[in-house]
Every structure is written in C-alpha cells, then in structure tokens.
Amino acid sequence: MDRTTLRTRGLLALATATVIAFGVGACSSDKNDSAGESGQAGPVNMEFWGWAGYEKIVDQWNASHPNTKITFKKIPSGPKGGYTQISNAITAGKGPCLAQIEYQNIPSMLVKNSVMDITQYASDSMDKYVPSAVSASSVGGKIYGVPVDVGPMVLFYRKDLFAKYGISKPPATWAEYKADAERVTAADPSVKFGTVLGDAGSLASFTLQTGQSWYSTKGDSWTVSIDNPGTRKVASYWQGLKDQGLVAKTGSAWDPQFDKASEAGKVLTFVGAAWAAGGLKSDLKDLAGKWRVAPMPTWEAGDGKSTSSGGSATSVMTGCKTPKEAVQFADFLSSDPQAVKTGIEGGLYPASKAGQEDPSLTGGDPYFGGQKVGDVYKASAAQVPSTWTNGPTFQQVETDFTGAIGQGTLPDAVTKVQASTVAAIKKLGLSVTNG
C-alpha cells in the first residue's frame, strides 16, 4: 500500500456509518438513479477507476471471465481530485462503469446523481459482508456500492517502552490513557505517550465511539449536530492533553515526524485503524517485534465500544449500460477468496466476513512479535456503534476543520465548523437546521 492510500484512508472514512436518505429533493428518481437490465449481447467491456492497488485483482477476474473484461484506470485519490474527475467524465458521457468510492462520499456522489442504485443486483450477496459496511454502502435502504474494506480502530503501542516506563498493560479507558501519559511525561518531558488528535477524520471517529452522530435527517431536511456533547467531550479531552504537553503535536503511522520520534524512542502509542499497520511495517522496519496492538481505550470501563476509520465500496456509476455484470465484478473483488487475499496483501482489511478469517489475518504477525493482531481488529470491528450518519459535504467539513484547528482550539473548531457546514448544505439547495 502506498503512502497516498494510507493518508486517504485516514480521512473521514467511517466504515460503520449508517447513511440515511436525505429526501427526494436531493436524490433524483429518473432513469439514471437506478440500475436497469444490461441487455448487452456478446463480450462486455467495462472501465473501473480507482486509486487503490486493484490491478492484480482485475487481472485475476479477466483471467477467469473471458467474456467480461475490466480495464482498471488509476486516478488520484478521491480527496486529491479523483471524485471530480469521475463526475466530470460522467457529465461528458465518458464515465467509467465502476469506481472506488469511500463510504463517506457516497451521499455527495448521490447528490450529483453519479452513482446507481444497484439493490436489485447486489442485495442477495450483502450477507457476505459485515453489517456496518453494508450500512455504509447504502442510502435510504438502497444499495449504492459493494463494500470492499473497513478500518477498525485499535491502540498501537511499544511493548519495550511500556516496560521502560513501568506501564504494565495498555490503558483500557481514556482516563487510564491520560494517567499513563502523565507518568511518561513526569519521567521524561521529551517523551510523549501518544499523538494529538488533529484532523476532522479523527474527531469524527472518536465522536462515533461516544455513540453520537454529526448528522441526522427528518423527511427532506438535514440536521447538523457536529457541535454535540459527544464531540465536545472528545475535543475537550484531546485539547487538554495537548495543552498539558502529554501528546506529540503531530504524527501517526505515515508521518515522517512520527517515524523519527519512534526511531528515537520518543513516542509510545498511537490510535489508528487496522490499515495503519502497513505504515509501521513499511516505514519502521527496524522496530519490528517492538510494537503490539491492543483494543482502543473506552470512555467507560468495560463498555467495549470501539470505532472505525477508512474503507470504500465499489460503486456502479450513472450511465453504465452493463450494471449486472458490473456488480458481479464488484462482488468478486470483495468476496472471492483469492481476490480478498490479494487485497489483504495490499494492506486492506476486508469487509467480507469470510475474508476476516483468512490465515494471513488469523495467524501470528512477526512484526508484532507473533501477536494474533487480526483477533484485535476483528473484535474492534464488531464493537462499533451503528449510530453514525454521513453528510453530503464531506470535503467542506475536512477543509474547514483543517483551517479552524490551525487557528485555535479543538472546541473552537467544533463551533466554527458547525456553522460553516449548515451554510454549505444550504448552498446545495437542501433544507437544513442546527442540531
């Protein structure tokens, strides 16, 4: 998995989001809004656009399906212009039949009438995938993508440094996390227990763990509730850690500053999704055997709640004349044992239930000292609240949070982005209220 893919998965990609329809005013019901019968005779040729390393899987499909050829086109990741490229191509009548769409972007692509309703072709196979991923790929009970991967979050920690600073076990709660951070800082102010929460994606994921959501709908109207008690709780907690100097200012598995600090023994943990293990393995090879994985700390002892970050679906795009065949390929990519294994090798954690039992995930991982980290990932994926609703202006939220966090505190950013998001949804011509 390349560095761009790692960063992309770290955005506001909430694999377990329960996406709710936002009214007929926003979703077209014309012939482009649902998939019709393909009715194409003879060989089928389809383009598939995305930025993940799907080339080998496409080759596997083409080798076993000579009458249905897929051509994969590598495009920039969604936040770097991929979605715009897809939408412009569809408008020009030159769009692909299939595209990689991150879960949180399905509502915005639906607003643009860029994705097809594939329920009639995909519904019978959805039981192959974890329910949270199916919800994340759906809007208003209709399916708009076949789930590919999910991002259950965990605590990555340095076992050797825990021993050095007298920490006997990973923190089970956020209160214990803070106490451990205070212990480390007292011993050596130059060493940090963890890394700061510094972007919209992390704030959204941590809010999900509290069981609250940034959006809800009623009829044709959106309600924006970014500034809710759960978000406030998260923002205040992490701002406090930052103000007390208990966490590093930047960094996680793909950040050069984090890599440098890790190599120097200056950071003990970070909270990240399962896919972040790829960043450790690629950037910190010399630290193999020193890292371990633990469940994400919880707000209340014993409640077991986790969260997720990352993941995408394979969607059939508006204008595709062979939707049935497109869904067949999408299902192959996500559930064929060899295709799933190839995806795992590329750094994906599968949405497929069977895929999570792949031997490469259930056995001991040498990088993590032989620990069966797949068990931790799987348990996390099963403990994510199904209370989240994605909104229609993801890129705006990400951009506005980045700017606001750079200018003030996390709680201040929450207030600012609440207001800017309501304004942005109004500009789309949608009904919206403050939560």
Short mmCIF file of all heavy atoms in Angstrom, two decimals, residues 155-209:
data_model
loop_
_atom_site.label_atom_id
_atom_site.label_comp_id
_atom_site.label_asym_id
_atom_site.label_seq_id
_atom_site.Cartn_x
_atom_site.Cartn_y
_atom_site.Cartn_z
N LEU A 155 -5.35 0.45 19.46
CA LEU A 155 -4.21 1.16 20.04
C LEU A 155 -2.93 0.42 19.67
O LEU A 155 -2.73 -0.73 20.06
CB LEU A 155 -4.33 1.25 21.56
CG LEU A 155 -3.18 1.97 22.27
CD1 LEU A 155 -3.27 3.48 22.03
CD2 LEU A 155 -3.17 1.67 23.77
N PHE A 156 -2.08 1.07 18.88
CA PHE A 156 -0.76 0.53 18.60
C PHE A 156 0.18 1.04 19.68
O PHE A 156 0.19 2.24 19.98
CB PHE A 156 -0.28 1.00 17.22
CG PHE A 156 -1.08 0.47 16.07
CD1 PHE A 156 -2.15 1.19 15.55
CD2 PHE A 156 -0.78 -0.75 15.49
CE1 PHE A 156 -2.90 0.71 14.49
CE2 PHE A 156 -1.51 -1.25 14.42
CZ PHE A 156 -2.57 -0.52 13.92
N TYR A 157 0.97 0.14 20.27
CA TYR A 157 1.85 0.59 21.36
C TYR A 157 3.18 -0.16 21.34
O TYR A 157 3.30 -1.27 20.83
CB TYR A 157 1.15 0.40 22.71
CG TYR A 157 0.99 -1.03 23.18
CD1 TYR A 157 1.90 -1.59 24.08
CD2 TYR A 157 -0.08 -1.81 22.75
CE1 TYR A 157 1.75 -2.91 24.53
CE2 TYR A 157 -0.23 -3.12 23.18
CZ TYR A 157 0.69 -3.66 24.08
OH TYR A 157 0.54 -4.96 24.51
N ARG A 158 4.18 0.50 21.95
CA ARG A 158 5.51 -0.06 22.04
C ARG A 158 5.66 -0.85 23.35
O ARG A 158 5.74 -0.28 24.43
CB ARG A 158 6.55 1.06 22.00
CG ARG A 158 6.76 1.67 20.63
CD ARG A 158 7.67 0.83 19.76
NE ARG A 158 9.01 0.78 20.32
CZ ARG A 158 9.97 1.69 20.09
NH1 ARG A 158 9.71 2.71 19.28
NH2 ARG A 158 11.16 1.57 20.62
N LYS A 159 5.74 -2.16 23.23
CA LYS A 159 5.87 -3.01 24.41
C LYS A 159 7.16 -2.72 25.16
O LYS A 159 7.17 -2.69 26.40
CB LYS A 159 5.83 -4.48 23.99
CG LYS A 159 5.88 -5.44 25.17
CD LYS A 159 5.79 -6.89 24.71
CE LYS A 159 5.85 -7.83 25.91
NZ LYS A 159 5.79 -9.25 25.50
N ASP A 160 8.25 -2.49 24.44
CA ASP A 160 9.54 -2.25 25.10
C ASP A 160 9.53 -0.94 25.88
O ASP A 160 10.07 -0.87 27.00
CB ASP A 160 10.67 -2.26 24.07
CG ASP A 160 10.49 -1.21 22.97
OD1 ASP A 160 9.33 -0.91 22.61
OD2 ASP A 160 11.51 -0.71 22.46
N LEU A 161 8.89 0.09 25.33
CA LEU A 161 8.85 1.37 26.03
C LEU A 161 7.86 1.35 27.19
O LEU A 161 8.05 2.06 28.19
CB LEU A 161 8.51 2.49 25.05
CG LEU A 161 9.54 2.74 23.94
CD1 LEU A 161 9.10 3.90 23.05
CD2 LEU A 161 10.92 3.01 24.53
N PHE A 162 6.80 0.56 27.07
CA PHE A 162 5.91 0.39 28.22
C PHE A 162 6.69 -0.16 29.40
O PHE A 162 6.57 0.31 30.54
CB PHE A 162 4.75 -0.55 27.86
CG PHE A 162 3.52 0.15 27.32
CD1 PHE A 162 3.64 1.22 26.45
CD2 PHE A 162 2.26 -0.27 27.68
CE1 PHE A 162 2.52 1.88 25.95
CE2 PHE A 162 1.12 0.37 27.20
CZ PHE A 162 1.25 1.44 26.33
N ALA A 163 7.50 -1.16 29.14
CA ALA A 163 8.31 -1.76 30.21
C ALA A 163 9.28 -0.73 30.79
O ALA A 163 9.48 -0.66 32.02
CB ALA A 163 9.06 -2.97 29.68
N LYS A 164 9.89 0.07 29.93
CA LYS A 164 10.86 1.07 30.37
C LYS A 164 10.24 2.07 31.33
O LYS A 164 10.88 2.49 32.30
CB LYS A 164 11.44 1.79 29.16
CG LYS A 164 12.44 2.89 29.50
CD LYS A 164 12.99 3.53 28.24
CE LYS A 164 13.96 4.66 28.60
NZ LYS A 164 14.53 5.29 27.36
N TYR A 165 9.00 2.47 31.07
CA TYR A 165 8.35 3.49 31.90
C TYR A 165 7.40 2.90 32.94
O TYR A 165 6.59 3.62 33.53
CB TYR A 165 7.62 4.50 31.00
CG TYR A 165 8.59 5.34 30.20
CD1 TYR A 165 8.89 5.03 28.88
CD2 TYR A 165 9.25 6.41 30.79
CE1 TYR A 165 9.80 5.77 28.15
CE2 TYR A 165 10.18 7.16 30.08
CZ TYR A 165 10.45 6.84 28.76
OH TYR A 165 11.37 7.58 28.05
N GLY A 166 7.48 1.60 33.15
CA GLY A 166 6.72 0.97 34.23
C GLY A 166 5.24 0.85 33.98
O GLY A 166 4.45 0.82 34.93
N ILE A 167 4.84 0.77 32.71
CA ILE A 167 3.42 0.61 32.37
C ILE A 167 3.18 -0.87 32.12
O ILE A 167 3.69 -1.44 31.15
CB ILE A 167 3.05 1.45 31.14
CG1 ILE A 167 3.35 2.93 31.42
CG2 ILE A 167 1.58 1.27 30.78
CD1 ILE A 167 3.19 3.83 30.21
N SER A 168 2.40 -1.51 32.97
CA SER A 168 2.27 -2.96 32.93
C SER A 168 1.32 -3.48 31.87
O SER A 168 1.42 -4.63 31.44
CB SER A 168 1.81 -3.48 34.30
OG SER A 168 0.55 -2.92 34.66
N LYS A 169 0.37 -2.63 31.43
CA LYS A 169 -0.61 -3.07 30.44
C LYS A 169 -1.16 -1.88 29.68
O LYS A 169 -1.10 -0.73 30.17
CB LYS A 169 -1.76 -3.83 31.12
CG LYS A 169 -2.52 -2.99 32.13
CD LYS A 169 -3.62 -3.80 32.80
CE LYS A 169 -4.37 -2.94 33.82
NZ LYS A 169 -5.48 -3.68 34.46
N PRO A 170 -1.70 -2.10 28.49
CA PRO A 170 -2.28 -0.99 27.73
C PRO A 170 -3.45 -0.38 28.47
O PRO A 170 -4.21 -1.08 29.17
CB PRO A 170 -2.74 -1.65 26.43
CG PRO A 170 -1.97 -2.93 26.34
CD PRO A 170 -1.77 -3.38 27.75
N PRO A 171 -3.66 0.93 28.35
CA PRO A 171 -4.80 1.57 29.02
C PRO A 171 -6.13 1.06 28.47
O PRO A 171 -6.32 1.01 27.26
CB PRO A 171 -4.60 3.05 28.72
CG PRO A 171 -3.80 3.07 27.45
CD PRO A 171 -2.88 1.89 27.55
N ALA A 172 -7.03 0.71 29.36
CA ALA A 172 -8.34 0.21 28.95
C ALA A 172 -9.35 1.33 28.79
O ALA A 172 -10.35 1.18 28.07
CB ALA A 172 -8.86 -0.81 29.96
N THR A 173 -9.11 2.47 29.45
CA THR A 173 -10.03 3.61 29.37
C THR A 173 -9.23 4.86 29.03
O THR A 173 -8.01 4.91 29.16
CB THR A 173 -10.76 3.84 30.70
OG1 THR A 173 -9.80 4.23 31.70
CG2 THR A 173 -11.49 2.58 31.15
N TRP A 174 -9.96 5.90 28.63
CA TRP A 174 -9.29 7.16 28.32
C TRP A 174 -8.74 7.81 29.58
O TRP A 174 -7.74 8.57 29.52
CB TRP A 174 -10.22 8.09 27.56
CG TRP A 174 -10.49 7.61 26.17
CD1 TRP A 174 -11.67 7.18 25.63
CD2 TRP A 174 -9.50 7.46 25.14
NE1 TRP A 174 -11.48 6.78 24.33
CE2 TRP A 174 -10.17 6.94 24.00
CE3 TRP A 174 -8.14 7.71 25.06
CZ2 TRP A 174 -9.50 6.67 22.81
CZ3 TRP A 174 -7.47 7.45 23.86
CH2 TRP A 174 -8.15 6.94 22.76
N ALA A 175 -9.35 7.54 30.73
CA ALA A 175 -8.80 8.04 31.99
C ALA A 175 -7.44 7.39 32.26
O ALA A 175 -6.48 8.05 32.68
CB ALA A 175 -9.77 7.77 33.13
N GLU A 176 -7.34 6.10 32.00
CA GLU A 176 -6.07 5.40 32.17
C GLU A 176 -5.04 5.89 31.16
O GLU A 176 -3.84 6.00 31.47
CB GLU A 176 -6.27 3.89 32.04
CG GLU A 176 -7.06 3.27 33.17
CD GLU A 176 -7.27 1.78 32.98
OE1 GLU A 176 -6.66 1.20 32.05
OE2 GLU A 176 -8.05 1.18 33.74
N TYR A 177 -5.49 6.19 29.97
CA TYR A 177 -4.60 6.72 28.93
C TYR A 177 -3.95 8.02 29.43
O TYR A 177 -2.73 8.21 29.31
CB TYR A 177 -5.40 6.96 27.66
CG TYR A 177 -4.61 7.48 26.48
CD1 TYR A 177 -4.18 6.62 25.47
CD2 TYR A 177 -4.34 8.84 26.34
CE1 TYR A 177 -3.48 7.09 24.36
CE2 TYR A 177 -3.64 9.34 25.24
CZ TYR A 177 -3.21 8.45 24.26
OH TYR A 177 -2.51 8.94 23.18
N LYS A 178 -4.77 8.91 29.99
CA LYS A 178 -4.23 10.18 30.48
C LYS A 178 -3.26 9.94 31.64
O LYS A 178 -2.20 10.58 31.71
CB LYS A 178 -5.36 11.09 30.93
CG LYS A 178 -4.89 12.45 31.44
CD LYS A 178 -6.05 13.34 31.85
CE LYS A 178 -5.53 14.69 32.35
NZ LYS A 178 -6.64 15.58 32.79
N ALA A 179 -3.61 9.02 32.54
CA ALA A 179 -2.72 8.74 33.67
C ALA A 179 -1.38 8.19 33.19
O ALA A 179 -0.31 8.56 33.73
CB ALA A 179 -3.40 7.74 34.61
N ASP A 180 -1.40 7.33 32.20
CA ASP A 180 -0.16 6.80 31.64
C ASP A 180 0.65 7.91 30.96
O ASP A 180 1.89 7.94 31.05
CB ASP A 180 -0.45 5.69 30.63
CG ASP A 180 -0.90 4.40 31.29
OD1 ASP A 180 -0.64 4.22 32.49
OD2 ASP A 180 -1.53 3.57 30.59
N ALA A 181 -0.05 8.82 30.29
CA ALA A 181 0.64 9.94 29.64
C ALA A 181 1.33 10.82 30.68
O ALA A 181 2.45 11.30 30.47
CB ALA A 181 -0.36 10.75 28.81
N GLU A 182 0.66 11.04 31.79
CA GLU A 182 1.25 11.85 32.87
C GLU A 182 2.47 11.15 33.46
O GLU A 182 3.48 11.81 33.78
CB GLU A 182 0.20 12.11 33.94
CG GLU A 182 -0.91 13.05 33.47
CD GLU A 182 -2.06 13.15 34.45
OE1 GLU A 182 -2.22 12.22 35.28
OE2 GLU A 182 -2.80 14.14 34.39
N ARG A 183 2.41 9.85 33.58
CA ARG A 183 3.55 9.09 34.11
C ARG A 183 4.78 9.24 33.21
O ARG A 183 5.90 9.46 33.67
CB ARG A 183 3.19 7.61 34.24
CG ARG A 183 4.35 6.71 34.67
CD ARG A 183 4.03 5.24 34.43
NE ARG A 183 3.05 4.76 35.35
CZ ARG A 183 3.31 4.11 36.50
NH1 ARG A 183 4.57 3.86 36.81
NH2 ARG A 183 2.36 3.70 37.28
N VAL A 184 4.55 9.10 31.92
CA VAL A 184 5.66 9.19 30.96
C VAL A 184 6.26 10.59 30.95
O VAL A 184 7.49 10.77 30.96
CB VAL A 184 5.18 8.79 29.55
CG1 VAL A 184 6.24 9.10 28.50
CG2 VAL A 184 4.82 7.31 29.53
N THR A 185 5.40 11.62 30.91
CA THR A 185 5.89 12.99 30.88
C THR A 185 6.66 13.34 32.15
O THR A 185 7.66 14.06 32.10
CB THR A 185 4.72 13.97 30.68
OG1 THR A 185 4.08 13.69 29.43
CG2 THR A 185 5.19 15.41 30.69
N ALA A 186 6.21 12.82 33.28
CA ALA A 186 6.91 13.08 34.54
C ALA A 186 8.30 12.46 34.52
O ALA A 186 9.27 13.03 35.06
CB ALA A 186 6.11 12.53 35.71
N ALA A 187 8.42 11.32 33.88
CA ALA A 187 9.72 10.64 33.81
C ALA A 187 10.66 11.32 32.82
O ALA A 187 11.87 11.41 33.06
CB ALA A 187 9.52 9.18 33.42
N ASP A 188 10.10 11.81 31.70
CA ASP A 188 10.92 12.45 30.67
C ASP A 188 10.02 13.33 29.81
O ASP A 188 9.30 12.83 28.95
CB ASP A 188 11.62 11.40 29.80
CG ASP A 188 12.59 12.01 28.80
OD1 ASP A 188 12.53 13.23 28.58
OD2 ASP A 188 13.39 11.26 28.23
N PRO A 189 10.05 14.66 30.04
CA PRO A 189 9.18 15.57 29.29
C PRO A 189 9.37 15.52 27.78
O PRO A 189 8.50 15.96 27.03
CB PRO A 189 9.56 16.95 29.84
CG PRO A 189 10.09 16.67 31.21
CD PRO A 189 10.83 15.36 31.09
N SER A 190 10.50 14.99 27.31
CA SER A 190 10.74 14.93 25.87
C SER A 190 10.06 13.73 25.22
O SER A 190 10.00 13.63 23.99
CB SER A 190 12.24 14.87 25.58
OG SER A 190 12.79 13.61 25.94
N VAL A 191 9.53 12.82 26.03
CA VAL A 191 8.86 11.62 25.53
C VAL A 191 7.35 11.80 25.64
O VAL A 191 6.86 12.30 26.65
CB VAL A 191 9.31 10.36 26.30
CG1 VAL A 191 8.58 9.12 25.78
CG2 VAL A 191 10.82 10.18 26.18
N LYS A 192 6.62 11.41 24.61
CA LYS A 192 5.17 11.56 24.60
C LYS A 192 4.50 10.20 24.57
O LYS A 192 4.93 9.29 23.87
CB LYS A 192 4.71 12.39 23.40
CG LYS A 192 5.39 13.75 23.31
CD LYS A 192 5.19 14.59 24.56
CE LYS A 192 5.94 15.92 24.47
NZ LYS A 192 5.83 16.70 25.73
N PHE A 193 3.41 10.07 25.30
CA PHE A 193 2.71 8.79 25.36
C PHE A 193 2.01 8.48 24.04
O PHE A 193 1.97 7.34 23.60
CB PHE A 193 1.69 8.80 26.50
CG PHE A 193 1.03 7.46 26.72
CD1 PHE A 193 1.74 6.40 27.24
CD2 PHE A 193 -0.31 7.26 26.40
CE1 PHE A 193 1.15 5.16 27.44
CE2 PHE A 193 -0.91 6.04 26.60
CZ PHE A 193 -0.19 4.98 27.12
N GLY A 194 1.43 9.54 23.42
CA GLY A 194 0.69 9.32 22.19
C GLY A 194 0.78 10.52 21.28
O GLY A 194 1.65 11.38 21.44
N THR A 195 -0.12 10.58 20.31
CA THR A 195 -0.13 11.66 19.32
C THR A 195 -1.44 12.42 19.40
O THR A 195 -2.49 11.86 19.73
CB THR A 195 0.05 11.10 17.90
OG1 THR A 195 -1.01 10.17 17.62
CG2 THR A 195 1.38 10.38 17.76
N VAL A 196 -1.38 13.70 19.08
CA VAL A 196 -2.53 14.57 19.23
C VAL A 196 -3.62 14.23 18.21
O VAL A 196 -3.33 13.72 17.12
CB VAL A 196 -2.09 16.04 19.06
CG1 VAL A 196 -1.76 16.35 17.61
CG2 VAL A 196 -3.14 17.00 19.60
N LEU A 197 -4.85 14.49 18.59
CA LEU A 197 -5.97 14.42 17.64
C LEU A 197 -5.97 15.75 16.90
O LEU A 197 -6.18 16.80 17.50
CB LEU A 197 -7.28 14.21 18.40
CG LEU A 197 -8.57 13.98 17.59
CD1 LEU A 197 -9.62 13.30 18.47
CD2 LEU A 197 -9.14 15.29 17.07
N GLY A 198 -5.75 15.71 15.58
CA GLY A 198 -5.56 16.97 14.89
C GLY A 198 -6.29 17.15 13.58
O GLY A 198 -5.98 18.08 12.84
N ASP A 199 -7.27 16.29 13.26
CA ASP A 199 -7.98 16.48 12.00
C ASP A 199 -9.43 16.04 12.13
O ASP A 199 -9.84 15.43 13.12
CB ASP A 199 -7.29 15.74 10.86
CG ASP A 199 -7.17 14.24 11.09
OD1 ASP A 199 -8.12 13.63 11.61
OD2 ASP A 199 -6.12 13.67 10.74
N ALA A 200 -10.21 16.36 11.10
CA ALA A 200 -11.64 16.07 11.12
C ALA A 200 -11.92 14.58 11.17
O ALA A 200 -12.86 14.13 11.84
CB ALA A 200 -12.31 16.69 9.91
N GLY A 201 -11.11 13.81 10.45
CA GLY A 201 -11.35 12.37 10.41
C GLY A 201 -11.24 11.74 11.79
O GLY A 201 -12.08 10.93 12.19
N SER A 202 -10.18 12.12 12.51
CA SER A 202 -10.00 11.57 13.86
C SER A 202 -11.12 12.03 14.79
O SER A 202 -11.65 11.25 15.58
CB SER A 202 -8.64 12.00 14.41
OG SER A 202 -7.60 11.49 13.63
N LEU A 203 -11.48 13.30 14.69
CA LEU A 203 -12.53 13.82 15.56
C LEU A 203 -13.86 13.11 15.29
O LEU A 203 -14.61 12.78 16.21
CB LEU A 203 -12.68 15.33 15.35
CG LEU A 203 -13.65 16.06 16.27
CD1 LEU A 203 -13.27 15.86 17.74
CD2 LEU A 203 -13.70 17.55 15.94
N ALA A 204 -14.15 12.85 14.02
CA ALA A 204 -15.38 12.14 13.68
C ALA A 204 -15.36 10.72 14.22
O ALA A 204 -16.33 10.23 14.80
CB ALA A 204 -15.57 12.13 12.16
N SER A 205 -14.23 10.03 14.05
CA SER A 205 -14.13 8.65 14.53
C SER A 205 -14.29 8.58 16.04
O SER A 205 -15.00 7.71 16.55
CB SER A 205 -12.78 8.06 14.12
OG SER A 205 -12.70 7.88 12.73
N PHE A 206 -13.65 9.48 16.75
CA PHE A 206 -13.75 9.47 18.21
C PHE A 206 -15.15 9.85 18.67
O PHE A 206 -15.62 9.36 19.69
CB PHE A 206 -12.70 10.40 18.82
CG PHE A 206 -11.33 9.81 18.90
CD1 PHE A 206 -10.52 9.73 17.78
CD2 PHE A 206 -10.84 9.30 20.09
CE1 PHE A 206 -9.26 9.18 17.83
CE2 PHE A 206 -9.57 8.74 20.16
CZ PHE A 206 -8.77 8.67 19.04
N THR A 207 -15.83 10.72 17.91
CA THR A 207 -17.21 11.04 18.24
C THR A 207 -18.10 9.81 18.05
O THR A 207 -18.99 9.54 18.86
CB THR A 207 -17.72 12.20 17.37
OG1 THR A 207 -16.93 13.37 17.61
CG2 THR A 207 -19.18 12.51 17.68
N LEU A 208 -17.86 9.07 16.99
CA LEU A 208 -18.63 7.84 16.76
C LEU A 208 -18.52 6.90 17.95
O LEU A 208 -19.50 6.26 18.33
CB LEU A 208 -18.13 7.14 15.49
CG LEU A 208 -18.65 5.74 15.21
CD1 LEU A 208 -20.17 5.75 15.05
CD2 LEU A 208 -18.00 5.17 13.96
N GLN A 209 -17.35 6.84 18.56
CA GLN A 209 -17.18 5.95 19.72
C GLN A 209 -18.12 6.34 20.86
O GLN A 209 -18.53 5.49 21.65
CB GLN A 209 -15.73 5.96 20.19
CG GLN A 209 -15.45 4.89 21.24
CD GLN A 209 -14.07 5.02 21.88
OE1 GLN A 209 -13.52 6.11 21.99
NE2 GLN A 209 -13.50 3.90 22.30
#
